[in-house]
Amino acid sequence: MLSEHSPLTVLKGVGPGVATRLASLHLHTLQDLLFHLPLRYQDRTRISPIAASRIGSDIQIEGEVLATELAYGRRRSLLCRLKDASGIISLRFFHFSAAQKNALSPGTRLRCYGEVRGGATGLELYHPEYQFLHAGQEHSLPQSLTPVYPSTEGMQQARLRKLILQTLDLPDTQLQVQDWIPESLRERLGFPPLMDAIRFLHRPPAGDGLTSTLQQLSLGQHPCQRRLAFEELLSHRLCLRRLRAQAEALHAPVMHYQGALQQALRAALPFSLTGAQERVCREIQADLGQGRPMLRLLQGDVGSGKTLVAAMAALQAVETGYQAAIMAPTEILAEQHYLNFSRWLEPLGLKVGWLSGKVKGRKRADQLQAIGDGTAQLVVGTHALFQEDVAFARLGLIIIDEQHRFGVHQRLALREKGASGEHIPHQLVMTATPIPRTLAMSAYADLDCSIIDELPPGRTPVSTLLISNSRRAEVIERIHRACRQGSQAYWVCTLIEESEALQCQAAEVTAQTLAAQLPDLRIGLIHGRMKPTEKTAVMDAFKQGELQLLVATTVIEVGVDVPNASLMVIENPERLGLAQLHQLRGRVGRGALASHCVMLYQSPLSQVSQERLSIMRDSNDGFLIAEKDLAIRGPGQVLGTQQTGLMSFRIADLSRDAGMLEPVRHAAERIQRDYPDRIDPLIRRWLGERELYGNV
Ligand code: ADP
Ligand code: MG
């Protein structure tokens, strides 16, 4: 008897080798396979006339080979001209064999599937899939849309499809998959039953309305997809709520507020806290005084003064005899915190420890000693803080900066660190990525939220200009002038390509070109492929003013403080999300100088890009920008996981499905109340074993 938890080896054609490859896709059980949903679909249910080809869309055609020949362009290729009653198209192959060339002889009939491109000969299909049509033989067409699955090397689509169909075709008597959403709730929401949705998504039947079905599917708005997205969001929420409940059942150090150290720090500061900083400090103060672990998210725009709030929290821990650890995602950021904390806290007689990957040998041993015997009351560092051999004497508070680079997994790992027995440290997570409230509520359902919604007084807002790339020379001249007058500038390169290597290459080329055009400026380059030590050296040189212009990829460190930098050029800003643009722009406008950000766009801009960039030009308010971005992009990716590393979903999309968050919340409450035994299986289905047993 099978169950949804049976291993995949029960399927025909799955031996240990195949099972290993499936495991690398996180597919272990029959249920995993059923919930491995298509990324997209191909319509191979019909043959289209060649004349219906449109650049950018997939097409399936049949025709007769007119001629096949070698083409010598930038790259040698094999070009095959194919004709049907409506027109002619070229098939182009960059990898091919002599046998392949011979087989595609004139008069041969083919069926091809591929994406239409604009090529040297007009419309072309690059490397289409094709099959030979033999006279007198039946070549049937599929009766359903063809799913395309997330896959991996060595696991062909066709094979994955066959395994999934094999699982779907197991008789009910052999395999039953439970629908954990209560029926009354499901019906009220208008969702189809679970197995109907799954069957449909793996094998959407051809027939009337196929085009609109395909369109709905490609937007992720088909009721069957919504049904599953809902369930996935529900599982995430249940998981986060459970993590929270588990954490709340534990104990954390009680840190009664005394305030002497905080008063001393206030007295030493050349400014007073903003109202928003005060409010948030009070919220944290109250949390720390309770025996329950604080799990608080601190949101505040770039430059809103989160570091000081963190310092105040740390002082409360230190004053009651505990240590506080502050972790940043990169060496450069961590070092900056270290400098700030040392500057603020050492005059109060406190010792600030420092640990990063760079700290080695004797120095590292000293730091470990101070952390271990408690002489370092505060410890600042990178991930290195949470390595095996680091043992804190009395860790009471963990502060994490720039949360958006950490996901739920890391949050869990951290929570485990520093836990001893029933005790875990308090946790404060700081992020400068403003997230619209509804989204924050669900992405951080395990955290309480504090917001600093006010900037310290006396800042000159960055003024933002949109300038077309055709006026690049003017922009370069502007940099020249600013640097000659003693300012410093950033030049940020972006690329569409996912590849980091390409981004870095582009930045290198830009740096060289700018160096040639501006020979009297000292120009530096920083990108993600450099060693941490090289990066730090470049950043230091920029901070010291030795470099005047810094060319960077988008990895340029969030939170880096160079008050003398007052000009930033962002190339192709239309390629970035608004949140990211806002983050980047926050690198300037940190000093007294009036600052400028030039968004050097590639024209022509689409309507949407124009609207989005105008928002950037007109506002400096991170929250407003986030809300507007959400409104404009609608089904876009304000919270796109690529961008924020926040959460990864298989099918749900937090911004597209934002409207479901409220019903998801209700459903979660209902399940917690009436069907608590369904929580486990739901989490396991969507998040796997890791989260389920992720001890807090
Ligand atoms: P972020 O929230 O981006 O981390 P920081 O904590 O780095 O911001 O603060 C930005 C700058 O503002 C720092 O130089 C900090 O010393 C300064 N600052 C923080 N709070 C205030 C305040 N209340 N008044 C004036 N300046 C402040
Ligand atoms: Mg900061």
Side-chain angles (χ1 to χ4, degrees):
M1 179 70 189
L2 301 175
S3 86
E4 65 258 47
H5 302 302
S6 299
L8 291 173
T9 42
V10 302
L11 294 175
K12 276 196 289 286
V14 181
V18 175
T20 312
R21 256 167 276 152
L22 290 168
S24 72
L25 291 165
H26 302 292
L27 302 176
H28 307 278
T29 63
L30 292 179
Q31 171 170 282
D32 293 341
L33 200 55
L34 289 178
F35 282 79
H36 191 61
L37 297 166
L39 287 171
R40 56 192 174 84
Y41 298 90
Q42 298 171 339
D43 182 3
R44 299 176 186 240
T45 62
R46 58 189 166 175
I47 305 296
S48 304
I50 286 177
S53 305
R54 295 286 169 270
I55 289 179
S57 52
D58 288 358
I59 194 164
Q60 181 163 253
I61 51 178
E62 282 183 4
E64 185 183 317
V65 175
L66 287 179
T68 299
E69 63 203 13
L70 290 178
Y72 299 90
R74 259 190 311 161
R75 274 171 80 189
R76 200 174 72 118
S77 58
L78 181 68
L79 196 66
C80 170
R81 304 280 288 162
L82 193 75
K83 172 185 185 307
D84 73 1
S86 75
I88 297 177
I89 197 166
S90 302
L91 319 179
R92 194 184 286 276
F93 303 87
F94 293 101
H95 308 282
F96 56 92
S97 63
Q100 193 177 5
K101 175 170 182 283
N102 294 335
L104 293 172
S105 57
T108 311
R109 289 188 56 76
L110 300 178
R111 177 183 295 171
C112 305
Y113 185 92
E115 190 195 323
V116 182
R117 310 221 194 176
T121 65
L123 296 184
E124 299 186 353
L125 301 178
Y126 284 10
H127 281 276
E129 293 172 43
Y130 64 92
Q131 71 182 101
F132 295 99
L133 300 175
H134 302 289
Q137 265 181 32
E138 237 280 18
H139 298 276
S140 63
L141 288 166
Q143 294 303 301
S144 47
L145 293 175
T146 307
V148 179
Y149 293 102
S151 191
T152 178
E153 214 163 313
M155 178 51 63
Q156 282 160 359
Q157 287 293 330
R159 177 171 228 168
L160 207 47
R161 269 177 220 144
K162 263 169 79 179
L163 290 176
I164 289 172
L165 292 184
Q166 194 189 138
T167 313
L168 280 177
D169 290 339
L170 289 170
D172 279 358
T173 48
Q174 286 212 45
L175 175 63
Q176 289 206 6
V177 178
Q178 290 287 336
D179 197 340
W180 299 116
I181 298 189
E183 197 170 323
S184 58
L185 184 65
R186 179 174 65 68
E187 280 172 359
R188 183 144 40 80
L189 292 162
F191 290 145
L194 177 67
M195 272 320 279
D196 291 1
I198 295 218
R199 276 181 213 290
F200 182 91
L201 291 179
H202 286 299
R203 198 160 29 183
D208 297 342
L210 188 65
T211 317
S212 69
T213 302
L214 197 56
Q215 194 176 9
Q216 264 186 331
L217 286 171
S218 66
L219 294 175
Q221 280 165 350
H222 192 278
C224 291
Q225 287 168 312
R226 290 179 53 79
R227 157 74 168 87
L228 292 176
F230 184 90
E231 190 176 311
E232 184 174 29
L233 289 170
L234 178 64
S235 312
H236 272 256
R237 180 159 186 100
L238 289 168
C239 179
L240 290 174
R241 295 309 296 176
R242 167 144 82 188
L243 289 173
R244 172 147 191 124
Q246 286 172 348
E248 283 182 337
L250 297 171
H251 303 283
V254 180
M255 302 172 174
H256 287 301
Y257 177 69
Q258 295 160 30
L261 285 175
Q262 295 197 0
Q263 285 314 325
L265 175 57
R266 281 166 191 272
L269 289 172
F271 49 76
S272 46
L273 273 63
T274 61
Q277 282 172 316
E278 294 285 6
R279 175 171 40 76
V280 169
C281 281
R282 279 196 302 275
E283 289 167 359
I284 295 172
Q285 215 174 77
D287 281 358
L288 295 180
Q290 298 180 339
R292 248 190 310 129
M294 168 172 77
L295 296 169
R296 189 168 283 279
L297 175 71
L298 172 56
Q299 288 196 75
D301 213 337
V302 185
S304 60
K306 294 184 290 295
T307 320
L308 188 55
V309 170
M312 291 293 182
L315 287 179
Q316 189 167 343
V318 172
E319 199 159 49
T320 41
Y322 290 94
Q323 289 167 297
I326 295 104
M327 181 171 86
T330 70
E331 190 96 17
I332 296 174
L333 275 180
E335 195 173 316
Q336 189 165 309
H337 280 319
Y338 174 62
L339 294 176
N340 274 324
F341 278 87
S342 310
R343 185 160 54 94
W344 286 336
L345 306 183
E346 279 175 356
L348 308 183
L350 304 185
K351 180 168 163 52
V352 182
W354 164 242
L355 204 61
S356 81
K358 268 202 317 192
V359 182
K360 297 210 171 83
R362 179 78 239 153
K363 281 204 183 122
R364 183 177 164 86
D366 288 347
Q367 291 292 345
L368 289 182
Q369 169 82 31
I371 295 170
D373 66 17
T375 14
Q377 290 121 318
L378 253 104
V379 189
V380 183
T382 57
H383 284 91
L385 279 181
F386 295 97
Q387 276 158 8
E388 293 271 340
D389 61 337
V390 184
F392 287 83
R394 276 168 68 88
L395 182 59
L397 169 66
I398 297 176
I399 301 171
I400 306 168
D401 195 10
E402 306 300 356
Q403 158 70 16
H404 66 284
R405 299 199 189 180
F406 300 103
V408 178
H409 303 285
Q410 284 101 323
R411 216 142 83 209
L412 281 174
L414 276 176
R415 222 172 268 180
E416 266 172 73
K417 192 76 191 186
S420 60
E422 299 280 270
H423 277 81
I424 62 167
H426 295 284
Q427 223 182 100
L428 179 67
V429 172
M430 307 195 286
T431 173
T433 313
I435 301 167
R437 228 169 244 277
T438 38
L439 298 190
M441 248 174 39
S442 70
Y444 297 116
D446 59 333
L447 303 176
D448 294 313
C449 220
S450 291
I451 297 182
I452 309 188
D453 50 6
E454 180 185 355
L455 290 182
R459 298 270 166 88
T460 8
V462 181
S463 74
T464 299
L465 299 97
L466 302 183
I467 298 184
S468 157
N469 197 22
S470 59
R471 290 167 57 198
R472 197 181 176 89
E474 278 170 53
V475 173
I476 293 174
E477 188 40 43
R478 182 175 189 137
I479 289 184
H480 195 200
R481 244 181 298 130
C483 291
R484 293 277 294 269
Q485 285 164 6
S487 294
Q488 288 169 279
Y490 296 97
W491 184 291
V492 183
C493 303
T494 61
L495 261 194
I496 306 176
E497 281 82 356
E498 295 285 296
S499 149
E500 203 193 352
L502 282 175
Q503 282 223 24
C504 301
Q505 202 188 347
E508 273 164 19
V509 172
T510 307
Q512 281 163 13
T513 317
L514 286 171
Q517 288 166 314
L518 301 169
D520 57 333
L521 293 193
R522 298 183 300 277
I523 300 180
L525 170 68
I526 188 165
H527 61 62
R529 290 212 141 189
M530 289 160 53
K531 292 200 194 95
T533 49
E534 294 169 340
K535 279 198 268 188
T536 315
V538 172
M539 260 342 279
D540 282 345
F542 190 61
K543 266 191 249 174
Q544 306 304 329
E546 289 155 27
L547 295 173
Q548 295 164 289
L549 173 62
L550 184 61
V551 178
T553 53
T554 45
V555 305
I556 181 179
E557 309 296 336
V558 174
V560 164
D561 215 0
V562 182
N564 192 45
S566 64
L567 177 60
M568 172 177 283
V569 177
I570 304 178
E571 268 198 86
N572 306 111
E574 65 276 9
R575 291 171 181 172
L576 299 184
L578 293 193
Q580 204 180 354
L581 283 173
H582 182 64
Q583 288 278 329
L584 283 170
R585 182 172 60 180
R587 301 306 104 230
V588 290
R590 306 211 135 206
L593 294 171
S595 299
H596 300 274
C597 175
V598 174
M599 304 213 164
L600 193 59
Y601 64 86
Q602 188 67 51
S603 49
L605 276 182
S606 71
Q607 174 76 29
V608 170
S609 298
Q610 235 166 54
E611 267 182 68
R612 295 175 61 235
L613 293 182
S614 309
I615 292 174
M616 290 305 295
R617 185 189 53 209
D618 300 338
S619 173
N620 272 300
D621 175 345
F623 281 93
L624 184 109
I625 289 172
E627 299 279 359
K628 291 233 175 173
D629 199 19
L630 184 67
I632 289 188
R633 286 201 286 176
Q637 6 170 270
V638 171
L639 258 190
T641 46
Q642 330 72 304
Q643 201 175 311
T644 58
L646 199 59
M647 279 183 129
S648 51
F649 293 103
R650 292 197 219 166
I651 183 164
D653 172 329
L654 272 187
S655 41
R656 180 191 65 210
D657 301 329
M660 283 204 260
L661 293 175
E662 212 35 46
V664 161
R665 206 157 63 94
H666 286 137
E669 275 164 21
R670 168 100 186 269
I671 289 182
Q672 281 168 323
R673 193 182 60 230
D674 299 339
Y675 305 94
D677 52 336
R678 298 187 179 187
I679 296 176
D680 247 42
L682 271 170
I683 294 177
R684 192 193 297 213
R685 173 179 289 170
W686 288 97
L687 288 125
E689 310 289 320
R690 250 179 326 174
E691 269 69 15
L692 189 64
Y693 301 113
N695 282 324
V696 180

